CSV table of all heavy atoms in Angstrom, one decimal:
chain,number,residue,atom,x,y,z
I,286,PHE,N,0.9,-1.2,0.0
I,286,PHE,CA,0.0,0.0,0.0
I,286,PHE,C,0.9,1.2,0.0
I,286,PHE,O,1.9,1.2,0.7
I,286,PHE,CB,-0.9,0.1,1.2
I,286,PHE,CG,-2.0,-1.0,1.2
I,286,PHE,CD1,-1.9,-2.2,1.9
I,286,PHE,CD2,-3.1,-0.7,0.4
I,286,PHE,CE1,-2.9,-3.1,1.8
I,286,PHE,CE2,-4.2,-1.7,0.4
I,286,PHE,CZ,-4.1,-2.9,1.0
I,287,GLN,N,0.5,2.2,-0.7
I,287,GLN,CA,1.3,3.4,-0.8
I,287,GLN,C,0.4,4.6,-1.0
I,287,GLN,O,-0.8,4.5,-1.5
I,287,GLN,CB,2.3,3.3,-1.9
I,287,GLN,CG,1.7,3.0,-3.3
I,287,GLN,CD,2.8,2.7,-4.3
I,287,GLN,OE1,3.9,3.1,-4.1
I,287,GLN,NE2,2.5,1.9,-5.3
I,288,PRO,N,0.8,5.9,-0.6
I,288,PRO,CA,0.0,7.0,-0.9
I,288,PRO,C,-0.2,7.3,-2.4
I,288,PRO,O,0.7,7.0,-3.2
I,288,PRO,CB,0.7,8.2,-0.2
I,288,PRO,CG,2.1,7.7,0.0
I,288,PRO,CD,2.0,6.2,0.0
I,289,VAL,N,-1.2,8.0,-2.7
I,289,VAL,CA,-1.5,8.3,-4.1
I,289,VAL,C,-0.4,9.3,-4.6
I,289,VAL,O,0.1,9.1,-5.7
I,289,VAL,CB,-2.9,8.9,-4.3
I,289,VAL,CG1,-3.2,9.3,-5.7
I,289,VAL,CG2,-4.0,7.9,-3.9
I,290,SER,N,-0.1,10.3,-3.8
I,290,SER,CA,0.9,11.2,-4.2
I,290,SER,C,1.9,11.3,-3.0
I,290,SER,O,1.5,11.3,-1.9
I,290,SER,CB,0.4,12.6,-4.5
I,290,SER,OG,-0.2,13.1,-3.3
I,291,THR,N,3.2,11.4,-3.3
I,291,THR,CA,4.2,11.5,-2.3
I,291,THR,C,4.8,12.9,-2.4
I,291,THR,O,5.1,13.4,-3.4
I,291,THR,CB,5.4,10.5,-2.6
I,291,THR,OG1,5.9,10.7,-3.9
I,291,THR,CG2,4.8,9.1,-2.4
I,292,ALA,N,4.9,13.5,-1.2
I,292,ALA,CA,5.4,14.8,-1.1
I,292,ALA,C,6.8,14.7,-0.5
I,292,ALA,O,7.0,14.0,0.5
I,292,ALA,CB,4.5,15.7,-0.2
I,293,THR,N,7.8,15.3,-1.1
I,293,THR,CA,9.1,15.3,-0.6
I,293,THR,C,9.5,16.6,0.1
I,293,THR,O,9.0,17.7,-0.3
I,293,THR,CB,10.2,15.1,-1.8
I,293,THR,OG1,10.0,16.2,-2.7
I,293,THR,CG2,9.9,13.7,-2.4
I,294,VAL,N,10.2,16.5,1.2
I,294,VAL,CA,10.6,17.7,1.9
I,294,VAL,C,11.8,18.3,1.2
I,294,VAL,O,12.8,17.7,1.0
I,294,VAL,CB,10.9,17.3,3.4
I,294,VAL,CG1,11.3,18.5,4.1
I,294,VAL,CG2,9.7,16.6,4.0
I,295,THR,N,11.7,19.6,0.9
I,295,THR,CA,12.9,20.3,0.3
I,295,THR,C,13.5,21.3,1.2
I,295,THR,O,14.7,21.6,1.0
I,295,THR,CB,12.4,21.0,-1.0
I,295,THR,OG1,11.4,22.0,-0.6
I,295,THR,CG2,11.8,20.1,-2.0
I,296,GLU,N,12.8,21.7,2.2
I,296,GLU,CA,13.4,22.6,3.2
I,296,GLU,C,14.1,21.8,4.3
I,296,GLU,O,13.9,20.7,4.6
I,296,GLU,CB,12.3,23.5,3.9
I,296,GLU,CG,11.3,22.7,4.6
I,296,GLU,CD,10.2,23.6,5.1
I,296,GLU,OE1,9.7,24.4,4.4
I,296,GLU,OE2,9.7,23.4,6.2
I,297,PRO,N,15.2,22.5,4.8
I,297,PRO,CA,16.0,21.7,5.9
I,297,PRO,C,15.2,21.5,7.1
I,297,PRO,O,14.3,22.4,7.5
I,297,PRO,CB,17.2,22.7,6.1
I,297,PRO,CG,16.7,24.0,5.7
I,297,PRO,CD,15.8,23.8,4.6
I,298,VAL,N,15.3,20.4,7.7
I,298,VAL,CA,14.6,20.0,9.0
I,298,VAL,C,15.5,20.2,10.1
I,298,VAL,O,16.6,19.6,10.1
I,298,VAL,CB,14.1,18.6,8.9
I,298,VAL,CG1,13.4,18.2,10.2
I,298,VAL,CG2,13.1,18.5,7.7
I,299,GLN,N,15.1,21.0,11.1
I,299,GLN,CA,15.9,21.2,12.3
I,299,GLN,C,15.4,20.4,13.5
I,299,GLN,O,14.2,20.6,13.8
I,299,GLN,CB,16.0,22.7,12.6
I,299,GLN,CG,16.8,23.1,13.8
I,299,GLN,CD,16.7,24.5,14.2
I,299,GLN,OE1,16.1,25.3,13.5
I,299,GLN,NE2,17.4,24.9,15.3
I,300,LEU,N,16.2,19.6,14.1
I,300,LEU,CA,15.8,18.8,15.2
I,300,LEU,C,16.1,19.5,16.6
I,300,LEU,O,17.1,20.2,16.6
I,300,LEU,CB,16.5,17.4,15.2
I,300,LEU,CG,16.4,16.6,13.9
I,300,LEU,CD1,17.1,15.3,13.9
I,300,LEU,CD2,14.9,16.3,13.7
I,301,GLY,N,15.3,19.2,17.6
I,301,GLY,CA,15.6,19.8,18.9
I,301,GLY,C,14.8,19.1,19.9
I,301,GLY,O,13.6,19.1,19.9
I,302,GLY,N,15.4,18.4,20.8
I,302,GLY,CA,14.7,17.6,21.9
I,302,GLY,C,14.6,16.2,21.5
I,302,GLY,O,14.2,15.9,20.4
I,303,LEU,N,14.9,15.3,22.5
I,303,LEU,CA,14.8,13.9,22.2
I,303,LEU,C,14.5,13.1,23.5
I,303,LEU,O,15.0,13.5,24.6
I,303,LEU,CB,16.2,13.5,21.7
I,303,LEU,CG,16.5,12.1,21.3
I,303,LEU,CD1,17.3,12.0,20.0
I,303,LEU,CD2,17.2,11.4,22.4
I,304,ALA,N,13.7,12.1,23.4
I,304,ALA,CA,13.4,11.3,24.5
I,304,ALA,C,13.1,9.9,24.1
I,304,ALA,O,12.6,9.6,23.0
I,304,ALA,CB,12.2,11.9,25.3
I,305,VAL,N,13.3,8.9,25.0
I,305,VAL,CA,12.9,7.5,24.8
I,305,VAL,C,11.8,7.2,25.7
I,305,VAL,O,11.9,7.4,27.0
I,305,VAL,CB,14.1,6.5,25.0
I,305,VAL,CG1,13.6,5.1,24.9
I,305,VAL,CG2,15.2,6.8,24.0
I,306,THR,N,10.6,6.7,25.2
I,306,THR,CA,9.5,6.4,26.0
I,306,THR,C,9.6,5.0,26.7
I,306,THR,O,10.4,4.2,26.3
I,306,THR,CB,8.2,6.4,25.2
I,306,THR,OG1,8.2,5.4,24.3
I,306,THR,CG2,8.0,7.8,24.5
I,307,GLU,N,8.8,4.8,27.7
I,307,GLU,CA,8.8,3.5,28.4
I,307,GLU,C,8.4,2.3,27.5
I,307,GLU,O,8.9,1.2,27.7
I,307,GLU,CB,7.8,3.5,29.6
I,307,GLU,CG,8.3,4.4,30.7
I,307,GLU,CD,7.3,4.3,31.9
I,307,GLU,OE1,6.3,3.6,31.8
I,307,GLU,OE2,7.6,5.0,32.9
I,308,ASP,N,7.6,2.6,26.4
I,308,ASP,CA,7.3,1.5,25.6
I,308,ASP,C,8.2,1.5,24.4
I,308,ASP,O,7.8,1.0,23.3
I,308,ASP,CB,5.8,1.5,25.2
I,308,ASP,CG,5.3,2.9,24.9
I,308,ASP,OD1,6.0,3.9,25.0
I,308,ASP,OD2,4.1,3.1,24.5
I,309,HIS,N,9.4,2.0,24.5
I,309,HIS,CA,10.5,1.8,23.5
I,309,HIS,C,10.2,2.5,22.2
I,309,HIS,O,10.5,2.0,21.1
I,309,HIS,CB,10.7,0.3,23.3
I,309,HIS,CG,12.2,0.0,23.1
I,309,HIS,ND1,13.2,0.4,23.9
I,309,HIS,CD2,12.8,-0.7,22.1
I,309,HIS,CE1,14.3,0.0,23.5
I,309,HIS,NE2,14.2,-0.7,22.4
I,310,TYR,N,9.8,3.8,22.3
I,310,TYR,CA,9.7,4.6,21.1
I,310,TYR,C,10.8,5.8,21.3
I,310,TYR,O,10.9,6.3,22.5
I,310,TYR,CB,8.3,5.3,21.0
I,310,TYR,CG,7.4,4.3,20.4
I,310,TYR,CD1,6.6,3.5,21.3
I,310,TYR,CD2,7.2,4.1,19.0
I,310,TYR,CE1,5.6,2.6,20.8
I,310,TYR,CE2,6.3,3.2,18.5
I,310,TYR,CZ,5.5,2.5,19.4
I,310,TYR,OH,4.6,1.5,18.9
I,311,LEU,N,11.4,6.2,20.3
I,311,LEU,CA,12.3,7.3,20.3
I,311,LEU,C,11.5,8.5,19.7
I,311,LEU,O,11.1,8.4,18.5
I,311,LEU,CB,13.6,7.1,19.4
I,311,LEU,CG,14.5,8.2,19.3
I,311,LEU,CD1,15.2,8.7,20.6
I,311,LEU,CD2,15.6,7.9,18.3
I,312,VAL,N,11.3,9.5,20.5
I,312,VAL,CA,10.5,10.7,20.1
I,312,VAL,C,11.5,11.9,20.0
I,312,VAL,O,12.2,12.2,20.9
I,312,VAL,CB,9.4,11.0,21.1
I,312,VAL,CG1,8.6,12.2,20.6
I,312,VAL,CG2,8.5,9.8,21.3
I,313,VAL,N,11.5,12.5,18.7
I,313,VAL,CA,12.4,13.6,18.5
I,313,VAL,C,11.6,14.8,18.0
I,313,VAL,O,10.7,14.7,17.1
I,313,VAL,CB,13.4,13.2,17.3
I,313,VAL,CG1,14.4,14.3,17.1
I,313,VAL,CG2,14.2,11.9,17.7
I,314,GLY,N,11.9,15.9,18.7
I,314,GLY,CA,11.2,17.1,18.3
I,314,GLY,C,11.8,17.8,17.0
I,314,GLY,O,13.0,17.7,16.8
I,315,VAL,N,10.9,18.3,16.3
I,315,VAL,CA,11.3,19.0,15.0
I,315,VAL,C,10.9,20.5,15.2
I,315,VAL,O,9.8,20.8,15.5
I,315,VAL,CB,10.5,18.4,13.8
I,315,VAL,CG1,11.0,19.1,12.6
I,315,VAL,CG2,10.8,16.9,13.7
I,316,VAL,N,12.0,21.3,15.1
I,316,VAL,CA,11.8,22.7,15.3
I,316,VAL,C,11.1,23.4,14.0
I,316,VAL,O,10.2,24.1,14.2
I,316,VAL,CB,13.1,23.5,15.6
I,316,VAL,CG1,13.0,24.9,15.7
I,316,VAL,CG2,13.8,22.8,16.8
I,317,GLN,N,11.6,23.0,12.9
I,317,GLN,CA,11.1,23.6,11.6
I,317,GLN,C,11.1,22.5,10.6
I,317,GLN,O,12.2,22.0,10.2
I,317,GLN,CB,12.0,24.8,11.2
I,317,GLN,CG,11.4,25.5,10.0
I,317,GLN,CD,10.1,26.1,10.3
I,317,GLN,OE1,9.8,26.6,11.4
I,317,GLN,NE2,9.2,26.1,9.3
I,318,PRO,N,9.9,22.1,10.1
I,318,PRO,CA,8.6,22.4,10.4
I,318,PRO,C,8.2,21.8,11.7
I,318,PRO,O,8.7,20.7,12.1
I,318,PRO,CB,7.8,21.8,9.3
I,318,PRO,CG,8.6,20.7,8.8
I,318,PRO,CD,10.0,21.1,8.9
I,319,ALA,N,7.5,22.5,12.6
I,319,ALA,CA,7.1,22.1,13.9
I,319,ALA,C,6.4,20.8,13.9
I,319,ALA,O,5.4,20.6,13.3
I,319,ALA,CB,6.4,23.1,14.6
I,320,GLY,N,6.9,19.8,14.8
I,320,GLY,CA,6.2,18.6,15.0
I,320,GLY,C,7.1,17.5,15.6
I,320,GLY,O,8.0,17.9,16.4
I,321,LEU,N,6.9,16.3,15.3
I,321,LEU,CA,7.7,15.2,16.0
I,321,LEU,C,8.0,14.1,15.0
I,321,LEU,O,7.2,13.9,14.1
I,321,LEU,CB,6.8,14.5,17.1
I,321,LEU,CG,6.5,15.3,18.3
I,321,LEU,CD1,5.5,14.5,19.2
I,321,LEU,CD2,7.7,15.7,19.1
I,322,PHE,N,9.1,13.4,15.2
I,322,PHE,CA,9.4,12.2,14.6
I,322,PHE,C,9.3,11.1,15.6
I,322,PHE,O,9.9,11.3,16.7
I,322,PHE,CB,10.8,12.2,14.0
I,322,PHE,CG,11.0,12.9,12.7
I,322,PHE,CD1,12.0,13.9,12.6
I,322,PHE,CD2,10.2,12.7,11.6
I,322,PHE,CE1,12.1,14.6,11.5
I,322,PHE,CE2,10.3,13.5,10.4
I,322,PHE,CZ,11.3,14.4,10.4
I,323,ILE,N,8.6,10.0,15.3
I,323,ILE,CA,8.5,8.9,16.3
I,323,ILE,C,9.1,7.7,15.7
I,323,ILE,O,8.6,7.2,14.6
I,323,ILE,CB,7.0,8.7,16.7
I,323,ILE,CG1,6.4,10.0,17.2
I,323,ILE,CG2,6.9,7.6,17.7
I,323,ILE,CD1,4.9,9.9,17.5
I,324,PHE,N,10.1,7.1,16.3
I,324,PHE,CA,10.8,5.9,15.8
I,324,PHE,C,10.3,4.8,16.7
I,324,PHE,O,10.4,4.9,17.9
I,324,PHE,CB,12.3,6.1,15.9
I,324,PHE,CG,12.9,7.2,15.0
I,324,PHE,CD1,12.9,8.5,15.5
I,324,PHE,CD2,13.3,6.8,13.8
I,324,PHE,CE1,13.4,9.4,14.6
I,324,PHE,CE2,13.9,7.8,12.9
I,324,PHE,CZ,14.0,9.1,13.4
């Protein structure tokens, strides 16, 4: 399964803040664009 259209990020992504949760996820803060990466 795949999305109908794929958007690629062209602007640089700045990371800031990182934590590992009790259920073994790595959560990384994204400064720009604002949000999270969850591994």
Side-chain angles (χ1 to χ4, degrees):
F286 287 102
Q287 55 189 334
V289 176
S290 63
T291 58
T293 59
V294 178
T295 56
E296 61 187 41
V298 176
Q299 181 185 358
L300 304 176
L303 178 144
V305 175
T306 66
E307 288 183 1
D308 42 357
H309 216 52
Y310 286 92
L311 174 65
V312 181
V313 182
V315 182
V316 178
Q317 186 61 36
L321 295 174
F322 285 127
I323 302 173
F324 296 86

